[in-house]
Amino acid sequence: MYQNINKIYHAAIYVRLSKEDGDISSSAKLESNSISNQKALILDFLKDKKDIEVVSVRVDDGYSGSNFDRPGFVQMMEDIKHGKINCVIVKDLSRLGRNYVETSNYIERVFPFFHVRFLAVTDDFDSFREGVDLTVPLKNIINEFYSKDLAKKSSSAKKALWKEGKFTSAWEPYGYRKSEEDHHQLIVDEEAADHLKSIFSMYMNGRNYSDIARQLNKDGVLSPTLQRKFYKTGEKPLPESKPWNNYEVKRVLQDVHCTGDSVFGKYQQSVFQGNKQRNRPESDWVHVENTHEGIIDRELFQQVQSKIQEYTEAYKKKHQQNNGAIRNHNFYTGKIWCGGCGNRMTLSRERNGTFFYICGANTNHKSGGKQCKGHRVRKEYVDDDVLRLIQTHMKTVLDTEKMIQKMNAASKNQTQYLLLDKEVGKLRRELSRISKRKSDLYEDYSERLITEEEYIQFSRIYSNEIENIKSRLDTVLAAQVRYSQDYHIEEGWGNVIHTYMSKRKLTKEMADAFVDSIIIHGKYDYEIKLVYDDQFADLQKLKKEKEAQSR
């Protein structure tokens, strides 16, 4: 195919994001693949494309790429069938889909049948360019899923060890250490085991988590973290460097390993992608009895679990009663903290109807800390200051945005824009070169030119290079946007500002959109951090740069 330079293409921008596909497995990836970032990257790419006119933007936020039953995609296909668009643009091929067969079918059969031009920006793919090679980006999709399959095989090997009762975790449960002869076998640490028995005894005698933690810290007992450090280094650390707290006590009381049984597979983590650890459903856990010597009698362990469950249900019931009405007035649930002890502050209503945020802690709940002064502040004072800060933030942002647009029209700023454009081209060519190398790996492996181990090793190396280039490309594209005559702040940020710009009274929705955290130090002394403070700081920095350049 060839591109008719006299033809104007009516394009649909298609953007997609899905947690299920692993699109947002890290904060950096979330930012790179965000809906607004995909739009911004494509729009910037199209600025010098005189033959393409954007007609619509179709969004599938939260839809998997494993199938094409997505509302945004379906609507786009309807537009194609009715002749409204004849060009589709995505950030990269995986945004269109992650199913190799169906994605190939759309690109090689469906789109050509409707005479639709297809572009994937960061994959440097244009279906109307002569000599275009679809195999490179598609084979990279195959490589990604093949590598995931290898990771699954590794996981299967670990499950086989679990079923034999072999301990595979990096960290021993409290009261145990790994045998020097067999690191898959747990043996009792007599000193820690005595402390473990004491913890169970104290809890059954009516002492709560905080009491137990304070007693252990007072007696100089090493916390589980420090105990593991002692096993590793052989040097006994200071107990106060990482003291016991409520969470550690509760976790020890609930760990079934103390009975001599083992539970494996409670958490899941992708070896290939480095995803964060997440909980598995209990039905997927592997339970194995009598894998090692027990410290706590099973009957006692079950009594403790029942008591913990009773306490938890009673606590929930107590705090749910008459809490609904107050909750509706709390605009900062989970966001307002005491500056004295770090404890979360709660909203309370006085008999006269006045609301206060209070910290009722008399001592640090983490045990052994400085006493808290029990800070208390009226809700209306906090609300007034939050509203003033948000209003100032919104006005300053919009004024600064207009000023930057005006300064970017200067000729030297446009020269910088073109220099960055050349850098974008260079990075895209480099990305295409490395992607080609990575795609060839699968053929080398299938022809047995390299081993499975070499395939995984080189695949990771090339993946890291590709991610680094894409990161640099995103950085350069972001810098280029800063010199655009049509400069705008990030879309999500702008939408929030335009939604609440005319509001004169603080609402819970407004606070949710803007407030990140509030720390109360005293009656009139508190810190308010907004969600967009980092972007605001970057915007002010850009403003200063523009002002310096215009002098």
Side-chain angles (χ1 to χ4, degrees):
M1 282 193 177
Y2 63 90
Q3 181 178 335
N4 183 349
I5 59 175
N6 297 317
K7 181 175 181 178
I8 299 296
Y9 291 92
H10 299 99
I13 292 175
Y14 180 71
V15 292
R16 183 186 65 78
L17 188 70
S18 167
K19 183 183 293 186
E20 181 180 331
D21 287 342
D23 296 335
I24 55 176
S25 61
S26 70
S27 58
K29 201 167 184 181
L30 170 59
E31 178 61 28
S32 173
N33 279 337
S34 69
I35 294 295
S36 58
N37 184 276
Q38 290 180 52
K39 291 180 190 175
L41 188 147
I42 294 171
L43 290 171
D44 189 74
F45 168 77
L46 292 175
K47 282 183 178 175
D48 60 348
K49 305 297 185 291
K50 306 299 182 184
D51 60 333
I52 298 177
E53 177 185 317
V54 176
V55 174
S56 62
V57 177
R58 298 299 179 188
V59 180
D60 282 319
D61 193 354
Y63 287 87
S64 170
S66 59
N67 64 72
F68 288 83
D69 186 18
R70 317 172 213 138
F73 183 83
V74 170
Q75 184 60 57
M76 183 178 72
M77 289 305 302
E78 287 298 313
D79 291 344
I80 290 174
K81 293 171 185 176
H82 289 89
K84 296 180 181 179
I85 59 171
N86 57 0
C87 180
V88 173
I89 309 169
V90 295
K91 178 192 172 190
D92 58 56
L93 206 61
S94 67
R95 299 306 95 204
L96 181 67
R98 290 185 181 271
N99 182 306
Y100 171 75
V101 175
E102 288 196 61
T103 301
S104 300
N105 185 55
Y106 272 99
I107 297 173
E108 296 183 325
R109 296 175 181 272
V110 178
F111 290 159
F113 177 80
F114 288 104
H115 305 290
V116 170
R117 180 182 179 186
F118 175 72
L119 297 96
V121 178
T122 58
D123 286 325
D124 193 30
F125 180 85
D126 183 346
S127 63
F128 276 24
R129 185 195 303 150
E130 268 190 76
V132 67
D133 185 8
L134 178 63
T135 60
V136 172
L138 285 179
K139 279 193 289 187
N140 281 337
I141 292 179
I142 296 175
N143 287 348
E144 177 182 350
F145 280 91
Y146 180 75
S147 298
K148 287 179 180 178
D149 184 57
L150 292 178
K152 288 180 181 177
K153 289 178 181 177
S154 174
S155 178
S156 297
K158 186 177 285 188
K159 285 181 179 178
L161 289 174
W162 292 346
K163 290 179 180 178
E164 295 176 9
K166 301 291 186 180
F167 189 79
T168 60
S169 175
W171 307 112
E172 306 94 332
Y174 188 70
Y176 295 91
R177 60 189 309 170
K178 294 178 183 176
S179 168
E180 292 183 4
E181 289 77 22
D182 180 3
H183 284 190
H184 292 308
Q185 182 62 46
L186 293 176
I187 58 175
V188 173
D189 180 298
E190 297 299 339
E191 183 181 356
D194 287 341
H195 295 313
L196 182 63
K197 293 174 184 176
S198 176
I199 291 170
F200 273 80
S201 176
M202 284 190 283
Y203 188 76
M204 287 304 293
N205 287 331
R207 301 183 69 172
N208 59 32
Y209 305 139
S210 295
D211 288 339
I212 296 172
R214 276 192 289 272
Q215 185 64 55
L216 293 169
N217 291 329
K218 181 181 177 182
D219 295 341
V221 178
L222 293 181
S223 66
T225 302
L226 294 182
Q227 190 74 35
R228 287 191 291 265
K229 186 176 180 180
F230 177 42
Y231 294 154
K232 187 175 181 180
T233 65
E235 296 180 6
K236 201 162 188 176
L238 294 174
E240 56 267 27
S241 62
K242 185 71 175 177
W244 286 85
N245 57 43
N246 296 0
Y247 169 75
E248 292 280 16
V249 173
K250 183 179 180 182
R251 192 169 63 82
V252 164
L253 287 169
Q254 292 183 309
D255 191 347
V256 73
H257 283 95
C258 67
T259 65
D261 298 341
S262 292
V263 176
F264 304 108
K266 294 174 71 173
Y267 309 103
Q268 184 174 16
Q269 186 172 10
S270 169
V271 177
F272 175 68
Q273 289 188 330
N275 291 340
K276 289 185 178 180
Q277 182 174 274
R278 62 180 185 270
N279 294 333
R280 271 198 178 108
E282 190 170 350
S283 57
D284 291 344
W285 297 356
V286 177
H287 297 257
V288 186
E289 294 183 350
N290 301 315
T291 57
H292 51 273
E293 182 183 349
I295 299 171
I296 303 298
D297 179 75
R298 287 189 178 88
E299 184 178 349
L300 173 59
F301 181 79
Q302 289 302 326
Q303 289 173 357
V304 167
Q305 305 319 302
S306 298
K307 189 172 180 180
I308 290 174
Q309 183 64 28
E310 289 173 9
Y311 172 79
T312 302
E313 290 176 358
Y315 179 86
K316 288 180 179 178
K317 185 177 180 180
K318 176 182 175 182
H319 286 269
Q320 284 173 352
Q321 289 176 347
N322 302 320
N323 199 31
I326 293 179
R327 190 186 298 117
N328 293 335
H329 289 274
N330 190 355
F331 295 168
Y332 319 109
T333 303
K335 297 181 178 183
I336 186 164
W337 307 86
C338 174
C341 66
N343 207 356
R344 185 177 296 175
M345 299 193 74
T346 58
L347 188 64
S348 176
R349 180 167 52 190
E350 303 285 289
R351 289 183 178 179
N352 61 6
T354 305
F355 287 94
F356 284 86
Y357 284 103
I358 62 171
C359 176
N362 293 318
T363 58
N364 191 322
H365 73 293
K366 291 185 178 179
S367 309
K370 295 180 180 179
Q371 284 197 340
C372 178
K373 296 178 181 179
H375 293 133
R376 185 172 184 268
V377 62
R378 285 181 68 154
K379 176 185 183 296
E380 62 180 291
Y381 294 165
V382 179
D383 289 349
D384 288 346
D385 280 359
V386 167
L387 181 60
R388 273 194 296 271
L389 182 62
I390 292 174
Q391 288 174 333
T392 302
H393 173 96
M394 293 191 293
K395 185 178 185 305
T396 305
V397 168
L398 295 181
D399 290 346
T400 305
E401 183 183 54
K402 290 177 183 177
M403 190 188 78
I404 291 172
Q405 290 171 352
K406 185 176 180 181
M407 288 190 288
N408 276 355
S411 58
K412 57 183 177 181
N413 283 328
Q414 288 306 294
T415 300
Q416 183 64 28
Y417 182 89
L418 294 175
L419 289 173
L420 290 168
D421 196 52
K422 289 183 180 179
E423 180 67 14
V424 168
K426 177 182 174 182
L427 288 170
R428 282 180 175 149
R429 289 191 294 274
E430 187 177 356
L431 182 63
S432 179
R433 180 176 60 85
I434 300 298
S435 296
K436 177 68 165 63
R437 285 185 184 178
K438 183 183 176 186
S439 69
D440 290 342
L441 278 178
Y442 182 73
E443 290 183 6
D444 290 345
Y445 174 72
S446 64
E447 294 173 8
R448 296 297 184 265
L449 298 178
I450 58 175
T451 66
E452 181 177 292
E453 184 179 352
E454 289 172 329
Y455 171 81
I456 295 174
Q457 180 184 357
F458 287 122
S459 181
R460 283 176 176 167
I461 291 172
Y462 287 139
S463 293
N464 288 336
E465 287 189 43
I466 288 170
E467 286 302 316
N468 287 335
I469 295 171
K470 285 185 175 181
S471 177
R472 286 159 52 199
L473 182 60
D474 286 344
T475 300
V476 175
L477 287 170
Q480 189 180 32
V481 169
R482 291 155 74 101
Y483 286 92
S484 170
Q485 295 183 57
D486 191 31
Y487 173 85
H488 288 287
I489 61 172
E490 192 269 328
E491 184 178 7
W493 187 17
N495 289 341
V496 170
I497 288 176
H498 287 292
T499 298
Y500 296 104
M501 190 63 198
S502 61
K503 304 295 182 183
R504 293 293 175 263
K505 186 177 180 181
L506 187 70
T507 63
K508 180 168 175 49
E509 292 72 26
M510 191 175 184
D512 284 342
F514 280 99
V515 177
D516 179 75
S517 64
I518 302 173
I519 300 176
I520 305 296
H521 297 289
K523 187 173 182 180
Y524 301 108
D525 180 13
Y526 32 88
E527 303 171 40
I528 303 171
K529 179 174 173 54
L530 300 184
V531 173
Y532 300 101
D533 275 354
D534 291 341
Q535 292 96 318
F536 185 80
D538 290 340
L539 185 65
Q540 295 306 305
K541 182 180 177 182
L542 177 60
K543 175 187 173 184
K544 289 180 180 178
E545 291 174 2
K546 298 295 181 185
E547 288 173 335
Q549 292 167 2
S550 62
R551 290 183 188 134

